[in-house]
Amino acid sequence: MAALFVGGTLLFFGLSRLMVPPGYGEFGHYRAGALDDARQRPLVFADGNACGGCHDDIVTARQGSKHAQVRCQACHGALAAHAEDPSAQTPQLPDPVKLCVTCHTQLVGRPATFPQVDPADHSGGAPCRNCHNPHHPEPEGSS
Amino acid sequence: MSLRRREFLQLAGKLLILTPAAAAAWPRLVQGAAEAAATAGSTAPGAAGSAYDQAAHWWAMAIDIDKCIGCGNCVRSCKTENDVAVGPQYFRTWVERYHVPPDDPEHPEVDSPNGGLDGFPEKYRADDRAKSFFVPKLCNQCAHSPCVQVCPVGATFVSPDGVVLVDKSYCLGCRYCVQACPYGCRFIDPRKHVVDKCTLCYHRITRGLTTACCETCPTGARRLGDLKDPRDPIHEFLRGHKVTVLKPSMATGAKVFYAGLDGSVR
């Protein structure tokens, strides 16, 4: 009887050692290593605060404009590789046909306070850049 | 084996003292081993930012409906950052457009063409008297999540810093959690046949960065916040706005707070 009890106990601990993954139960009913797995992903979008380290001229140009708070990668896309090594990834200029209208086309659902235009009516098809500098879109401030 | 009375009493006495002592020491020994393993794991090469302390954070997000313009930047950047499957039914975050008749708020018209990935084509008239607005959606990072409760293999869990994550090496793809989520935030990744969902950009926030969707939101409608950090601006936001969570009656402990959310939003 005692041998059966000891054998059963040993079998239980032996099997649970084999079958329970390492780190299981450390934080809860899951494998603790899953947290590290989730952290391993490489960045695609860079730290938005890194841009100004090199492009301080753009930061200056944006000051006081309505676009001052727009993060660089909102328009310029994912640039983690560029931020890591500027020669590794050359940022492409955003497509001027799509860029402005993505946010500024008139939509009934958009907040009334947000500046919106009907592009065809507003500029008659002329490029936005003729009047607006994307980094400082107020017409007075544009070059 | 024959024991004399004296020997039996001596042995029993020793066992009586040693057994509780061993029982008391055992959890500490096990815990010590786990701590040592955790320390070794986090300092191992390849571990991202070993200085991150999970116990010191409790992540949340605040969304200002009045600032969302439905541009779809968050949807696009999420797909890029997290390599989300391509297709009109696979989204970790998406944007819905609500169009609410003024006399029938219980029956809003909701659309989300391709999750808002390509923006929203105009389909309403400004003079139809209805109310129209955009609602960005993502995993609500519930503290008492139904999806975690139903997982039969412990593959999904709330991390110590309050993010609902999936252990993809343990997920069976059984879809219980997809059905359990009241917000429709989970889907089966067609490439790996395991569940996929918003991780609140766990690889970014644990490195001190914000999420990809917050990083690219042009109007600041979304902000990541750490509820355990008293200096985090999210506290000011939550104090200064009338906020709610989605489906508060479900008591999921949702941590995505919406300011300016209309009662018609489901």
Side-chain angles (χ1 to χ4, degrees):
Chain A
M1 191 66 189
L4 193 66
F5 181 74
V6 170
T9 309
L10 284 177
L11 190 71
F12 173 79
F13 281 111
L15 280 179
S16 64
R17 231 191 141 71
L18 279 175
M19 296 170 81
V20 176
Y24 191 92
E26 186 184 327
F27 299 119
H29 294 282
Y30 57 91
R31 194 172 58 88
L35 291 169
D36 285 332
D37 291 357
R39 294 175 70 185
Q40 293 303 323
R41 259 201 91 70
L43 295 181
V44 183
F45 280 87
D47 177 6
N49 301 321
C51 309
C54 299
H55 302 284
D56 51 345
D57 53 327
I58 304 294
V59 175
T60 312
R62 280 155 39 108
Q63 270 171 7
S65 91
K66 286 189 171 182
H67 280 180
Q69 300 302 322
V70 179
R71 313 278 280 175
C72 304
Q73 292 170 107
C75 300
H76 291 278
L79 291 169
H82 177 75
E84 192 71 29
D85 173 13
S87 63
Q89 182 191 11
T90 310
Q92 302 293 309
L93 269 185
D95 182 354
V97 178
K98 288 183 191 160
L99 182 67
C100 307
V101 298
T102 301
C103 294
H104 291 291
T105 301
Q106 186 109 42
L107 273 184
V108 171
R110 290 197 163 141
T113 50
F114 187 77
Q116 309 161 54
V117 296
D118 176 356
D121 178 53
H122 180 73
S123 69
C128 308
R129 287 210 68 149
N130 285 9
C131 300
H132 301 281
N133 175 352
H135 288 140
H136 199 114
E138 291 80 352
E140 307 83 55
S142 65
S143 50
Chain B
M1 194 165 77
S2 64
L3 277 180
R4 284 189 303 165
R5 187 191 183 97
R6 179 182 295 268
E7 283 169 1
F8 172 78
L9 286 175
Q10 278 176 342
L11 188 66
K14 280 175 191 164
L15 275 175
L16 213 60
I17 294 164
L18 284 175
T19 312
W26 181 249
R28 287 175 176 277
L29 283 172
V30 171
Q31 200 178 27
E35 266 167 19
T39 321
S42 60
T43 51
S50 52
Y52 181 74
D53 178 13
Q54 277 145 345
H57 304 274
W58 192 249
W59 296 108
M61 191 174 275
I63 294 179
D64 194 342
I65 295 289
D66 293 333
K67 283 189 175 174
C68 181
I69 58 170
C71 65
N73 252 8
C74 50
V75 187
R76 290 187 288 273
S77 61
C78 175
K79 285 237 183 194
T80 309
E81 177 76 32
N82 295 297
D83 187 29
V84 180
V86 177
Q89 62 272 54
Y90 309 119
F91 296 101
R92 289 185 176 194
T93 184
W94 69 100
V95 182
E96 294 172 357
R97 171 166 57 184
Y98 274 70
H99 195 70
V100 191
D103 51 352
D104 189 13
E106 288 190 3
H107 297 95
E109 192 182 324
V110 188
D111 74 330
S112 182
N114 202 11
L117 186 83
D118 313 309
F120 289 81
E122 184 62 287
K123 60 183 273 196
Y124 300 114
R125 292 163 51 90
D127 56 359
D128 66 358
R129 293 180 61 244
K131 172 166 59 178
S132 199
F133 50 90
F134 296 100
V135 182
K137 292 213 172 156
L138 71 159
C139 169
N140 288 266
Q141 312 297 350
C142 307
H144 316 293
S145 177
C147 61
V148 169
Q149 291 167 32
V150 300
C151 180
V153 293
T156 189
F157 53 91
V158 182
S159 71
D161 40 1
V163 182
V164 178
L165 294 173
V166 176
D167 184 349
K168 296 208 171 183
S169 61
Y170 266 72
C171 177
L172 302 168
C174 74
R175 293 160 169 80
Y176 272 134
C177 57
V178 178
Q179 294 193 36
C181 175
Y183 309 106
C185 296
R186 290 171 166 258
F187 58 92
I188 298 290
D189 189 327
R191 298 162 298 187
K192 299 167 198 151
H193 304 289
V194 294
V195 79
D196 197 34
K197 70 175 287 295
C198 165
T199 60
L200 208 62
C201 282
Y202 199 68
H203 60 296
R204 296 179 65 87
I205 63 177
T206 52
R207 293 178 202 185
L209 310 180
T210 188
T211 63
C213 55
C214 292
E215 183 69 60
T216 59
C217 179
T219 62
R222 294 170 174 247
R223 314 140 189 243
L224 177 77
D226 180 1
L227 296 178
K228 274 193 185 172
D229 179 359
R231 290 162 304 166
D232 195 298
I234 193 172
H235 298 291
E236 197 56 43
F237 182 88
L238 297 178
R239 234 191 335 266
H241 293 80
K242 310 285 188 293
V243 294
T244 185
V245 295
L246 292 175
K247 301 186 183 177
S249 58
M250 302 212 58
T252 55
K255 296 206 301 310
V256 174
F257 299 98
Y258 287 86
L261 192 75
D262 192 76
S264 60
V265 176
R266 296 286 175 261

